[in-house]
Amino acid sequence: MIPGRSPDTRERLIRAAWDLLGEGGPGAVTLRGVGARVGVSRTAPYRHFADKDALLRAVAERAFRDLGDRMRTTARGAEDTPSVMRAVLLAYIDFASEHPEHYRLMFGEWVLAQKRAEGEEGGPLHAAALSVFEMCAGMLERGQREGVIRQGDPADLALLTWSTVHGLMAFALSGHLEAKERGARSEVERLVGEVVEGLLARRGAVDATGAEEA
């Protein structure tokens, strides 16, 4: 969107779909519904999106980009790599907590099918999701160069870290962490700290290749 100009119809439709998704999940999002919310004719949404899947793809892409922006902004405020990782993971947790329906859409089976539909070269949705993952792997790689993150394939470490935090978030969203005396949020923060601790390099430790870490 160009600064100083009103959002165009496509942008307004995406925003309406974003809101409807948050209010009632994917089932609440229809082309007719977003058109009515924006105040355009019944046929207008079809000029921008072939079907509901196309509209939801745009919303999922927006969600990945918003998540990435939030994580990057948070990272800039941290002083060292361990602090960056903790801040980034908590930003991920916060996004999922604030937008649970969007989070479920982003990491559900539907998104996998949509990525495949974009073809082998990928498309906007694939690129947006990959950008978030590559950012995490890049942070870990920088930490390895600094000697503060343990050795290993940065992509593998990013995948393991992401999977762990995703599982933690699934427990939080389902209410399982509410049983803890500390409460869900404090428990999440504590466990995120444990995840980051597991990423730190240990002096004198031996990596998978047999080489001693710094």
Side-chain angles (χ1 to χ4, degrees):
M1 192 175 83
I2 299 174
R5 287 183 57 181
S6 300
D8 60 22
T9 300
R10 185 178 189 278
E11 176 67 20
R12 291 163 60 206
L13 291 169
I14 293 173
R15 289 185 182 180
W18 178 284
D19 292 341
L20 286 171
L21 177 64
E23 293 166 10
V29 181
T30 64
L31 288 170
R32 178 175 294 183
V34 296
R37 178 160 292 204
V38 169
V40 296
S41 69
R42 291 184 178 183
T43 60
Y46 291 93
R47 299 180 195 136
H48 302 274
F49 303 100
D51 52 27
K52 175 178 174 174
D53 278 345
L55 175 59
L56 282 175
R57 276 199 303 274
V59 173
E61 178 194 345
R62 172 70 52 82
F64 275 113
R65 297 200 183 283
D66 284 0
L67 172 60
D69 288 344
R70 178 180 294 207
M71 293 167 73
R72 290 184 187 91
T73 298
T74 301
R76 286 196 289 270
E79 296 180 356
D80 52 50
T81 296
S83 297
V84 165
M85 291 307 303
R86 185 176 186 279
V88 162
L89 294 180
L90 287 175
Y92 177 93
I93 292 288
D94 286 340
F95 179 90
S97 299
E98 294 167 19
H99 306 290
E101 292 295 344
H102 303 74
Y103 181 75
R104 293 186 182 101
L105 181 74
M106 293 160 70
F107 296 103
E109 293 182 2
W110 176 86
V111 156
L112 291 177
Q114 297 304 310
K115 287 181 183 177
R116 295 189 191 104
E118 289 184 329
E120 293 184 4
E121 298 299 321
L125 176 58
H126 176 81
L130 183 61
S131 175
V132 176
F133 179 81
E134 289 180 338
M135 175 181 59
C136 294
M139 290 176 178
L140 289 168
E141 188 173 13
R142 286 194 295 275
Q144 289 176 330
R145 292 197 299 268
E146 296 167 358
V148 296
I149 298 296
R150 69 183 181 87
Q151 294 302 304
D153 187 326
D156 287 348
L157 292 178
L159 180 59
L160 287 170
T161 301
W162 198 330
S163 298
T164 300
V165 177
H166 177 73
L168 176 60
M169 198 61 237
F171 275 120
L173 289 177
S174 62
H176 288 290
L177 292 184
E178 294 292 349
K180 298 288 187 179
E181 292 182 1
R182 299 182 183 87
R185 176 63 190 185
S186 59
E187 189 67 1
V188 166
E189 289 184 7
R190 183 183 71 82
L191 292 172
V192 164
E194 293 290 342
V195 172
V196 174
E197 183 70 20
L199 292 168
L200 300 183
R202 298 288 184 266
R203 289 193 176 277
V206 177
D207 67 17
T209 67
E212 186 174 295
E213 293 184 355

